[in-house]
Structure formats: C-alpha cells, structure tokens
C-alpha cells in the first residue's frame, strides 16, 4: 500500500520525457508542445502601412488644417491593400490609399477620408495629422530576429496566428505519447452488442479513450480483453514495444478472476506498487514492463476515473511536459455536508465555481457514474476525517 503522492512519484520515476519531434501543419498544431525556438524571419508588417482609408500625405502639409482652413492636394495615384505605389509623394501631393496598403515613399501619415471631400484628381483636406501620427511602422508587431515563441511553449490560438504571420505552414513539435487502453472483464461487452444476462457495457474503455482525446491525445490502441491472464499477458507483450504507456482497467482486486497479478508474473514485469491509500480505486496496480509504465486501474468506473486523473495524468504530464496534464488544486468552500464511515482519504466528485464547491445529490458509490455528470473537480477529504461540513474549506482538484 502506498500513499498517492508516493505512487505518483514512483510512476514518474519510470517515465521519460518524449524527446522525439515531428513536423505538423498549423491546422494540427493546436495544443502541441513546441520543440524549437521560433525566430522572426522578417519584420511584421514587412512594410510601413496605412492604418486608415484616406489619403497618404506629408504630415507637415496638413499643419493647422480645419473645416475653416482647408487645403487642396493633387491626387497622384490610388492604392489598395496588396498593391504598391511606384512613385514619391511631394509637397502638396496625396495618394488615395486603403487600410493595409504600403505607405508610399515621401508620405509620412494618412488623412482619414472623413476629413476630406473624397476628391479624385484634387482632394480638399480639412484636418491635421502630424508626421507618423496615422502610420503603422514596419516591424511594429515584431522585428526580424526576435524570438517569438520558445521551445516548450504550448501552442494556443495566438501562437498559431503568429506562426501563420511568419509564413510558416508547418512547425516542429514533440510527438504525442502513444498510449494503449485495455479494459478487462468477462462480464464486459461493447456498446452496440445486445445485452445478455449478467453482462454490462464497457464504460471504462470509452471513458479513458474519450478523456485522452479531450486532452488532445488519440489513443494508439484500444481493446477489451476477457479475464484470461495468458491472453492479457500476450496482448501487453505484443504492444509494449510500440507504446509509451499502457492503461488497463479491472482485475486488480483480490477475487479469483483478478488476473492482473498473474499478468505481472507471466510478463516477469517489475511490480511498482499495488494498492493506493485512497478511495475510490484503492486496488490500483502499477508495473514497469520493457521500460514502460503500465497502470492498471480498478474496474469500478468511478475508481478508474479518479485514478486516471490522479495517477495517469501525472505520468502523461512528465512524458509531454505539457502543463495541461497537471491536476491543478485550489481551496473552495463546501456547500453541502458529507459524512463517511471510514477514515480513508477520499475523493468525491463535485462541481466548483467561484470558490464554492457543490457535491451532487446522487449516489457517491465507486460503481456509480451518473452522478459524475457535469462535475468539474474532485473534493479531497483527508485521511482520518469522517466527512466535511457545509462551510468548511476543502481542497479541490480541477479536472480540466
Ligand atoms: P473489477 O475491478 O474487475 O473487480 O471490477 C469492479 C467492478 O467494475 C465490477 O462490478 C465490474 O463489473 C465493473 N467493471 C469492470 N470493468 C468495467 C468496465 N470496463 N466498464 C464498466 N464497468 C466495469
Ligand atoms: Mg473484473
């Protein structure tokens, strides 16, 4: 029997950070961990550009202009965004210009069109703009050579936009972990099959796969196995070399069909621990096989769910160095009473918002899934405590 923190540490010590990288398209890069520093190859914007629709002029020519004191300029050209004006703006001259178009040589500001009579050959200007007042500088966003994103950054929407603005169609990221998920149990059948007497549908396999996907990892392998230690050992043996982590559910308790203990022996794997001092999911077993962590969660759906969050996430966090896998903790004020008999450290499903946390009304048993619907955190009731009262400050673990 080990403490939770000890179990996490044992698992993490046989987990390695995945150094291999891959190039992915920007469309696939969201949420991935950057494997290179990204430097600006050019200034952004690459040229001084107009922030307005109006007329590019020399600012000094507009000094003191008002509705009462207007001045007429000769319009020597017109440019839209995407075009270039091939000429120089001299004193008393203007170029009709649209937002995003390069400011022509000689001009140092843009008069907004609302301060003009929109003239085409001659334009009457009745507003003042000082040099560089209405002017987007070349490199105002970033300058060539600047490091914009650092190795290890998790790519979010703005990072992707920056990469795109640099003209990068692909980016080098660390490869994602390859994870196998295998549920066990002779009673467990797959959704879609007809329900036969004594059977139940497999929710664990689908929970874990869905959770991995929700966190951005496509499961590498997902399967169900009967309560046969030999078949399970063969399966683990054949996939271990291709994956970084194996997660199983069921068969870890003390019953006759709890095959995972025999699987450890058949594989001659190193047992890392069996039983974690918490509820639900206490019988969790962990082994190291071919240098890979194998985490065998309890078959009880809530036990599997809680230990996926408490143990599996910690391992994936080390593999990816992506902080989203870390289970963030905070304090919150409990809004309902909870009574329990034993003094075992307990994790309860709950919903937290604005520093308060509510327990669902439904059943809190380990085999019950439905009351977890809509929950966004786990509430910890520490060891030796026989419950918690409304108004008490409790530690919560955020699931997202
Ligand atoms: P076990 O850990 O194998 O002893 O299973 C504990 C309980 O969880 C039993 O009631 C099982 O029927 C149930 N169970 C096991 N595996 C699953 C699964 N994949 N999906 C839903 N329930 C399961
Ligand atoms: Mg079982």
């Amino acid at each position: 029997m080990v403490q939770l923190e000890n179990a996490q540490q044992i698992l993490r010590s046989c987990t390695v950070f995945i150094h291999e990288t891959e190039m992915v398209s920007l469309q696939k890069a969201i949420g991935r961990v950057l494997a290179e520093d990204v430097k600006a190859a050019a200034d952004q914007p690459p040229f001084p550009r107009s922030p307005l629709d109006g007329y590019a002029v020399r600012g000094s020519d507009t000094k003191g202009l008002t509705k009462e004191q207007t001045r007429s300029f000769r319009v020597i050209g017109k440019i839209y965004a995407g075009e270039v004006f091939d000429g120089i703006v001299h004193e008393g001259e203007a170029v009709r210009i649209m937002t995003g178009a390069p400011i022509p040589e000689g001009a140092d500001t843009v008069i907004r069109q609302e301060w003009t009579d929109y003239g085409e050959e001659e334009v009457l200007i009745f507003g003042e703009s000082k040099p560089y007042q209405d002017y987007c500088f070349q490199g105002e966003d970033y300058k060539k050579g600047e490091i914009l994103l650092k190795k290890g950054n998790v790519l979010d929407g703005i990072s992707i936009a920056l990469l795109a603005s640099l003209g990068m169609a692909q980016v080098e990221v660390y490869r994602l972990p390859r994870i196998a998920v295998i549920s066990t149990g002779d009673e467990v059948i797959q959704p879609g099959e007809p329900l036969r007497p004594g059977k139940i549908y497999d929710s664990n396999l689908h929970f874990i796969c869905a959770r991995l996907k929700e966190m951005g990892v496509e499961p590498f392998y997902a399967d169900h196995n009967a309560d046969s230690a030999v078949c399970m050992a063969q399966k683990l043996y054949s996939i271990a070399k291709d994956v970084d982590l194996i997660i199983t559910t069921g068969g870890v308790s003390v019953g006759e069909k709890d095959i995972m203990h025999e699987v450890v022996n058949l594989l001659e794997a190193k047992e890392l621990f069996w039983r974690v001092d918490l509820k639900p999911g206490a019988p969790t077993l962990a082994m190291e096989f071919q240098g890979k962590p194998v985490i065998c969660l309890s078959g009880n759906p809530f036990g599997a769910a809680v230990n996926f969050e408490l143990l599996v996430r910690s391992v994936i966090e080390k593999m990816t160095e992506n902080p989203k896998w870390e289970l963030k903790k905070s304090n919150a004020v409990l809004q309902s009473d909870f009574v329990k008999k034993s003094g075992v450290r307990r994790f309860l499903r709950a919903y937290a918002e604005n520093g308060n946390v509510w327990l669902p009304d439904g059943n809190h048993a380990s085999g019950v899934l439905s009351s977890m619907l809509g929950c966004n955190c786990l509430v910890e009731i520490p060891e030796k405590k026989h419950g918690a009262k409304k108004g008490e400050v409790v530690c919560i673990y955020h699931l997202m």
Side-chain angles (χ1 to χ4, degrees), residues 184-187 227 250-252 257-258 299:
T184 68
D186 287 344
E187 78 282 29
D227 284 327
V252 287
K257 289 273 190 166
D258 285 327

Side-chain angles (χ1 to χ4, degrees), residues 33-47:
V33 179
L34 194 59
E36 56 179 347
D37 285 346
V38 175
K39 248 191 206 176
D43 291 342
Q44 170 62 13
F47 46 82

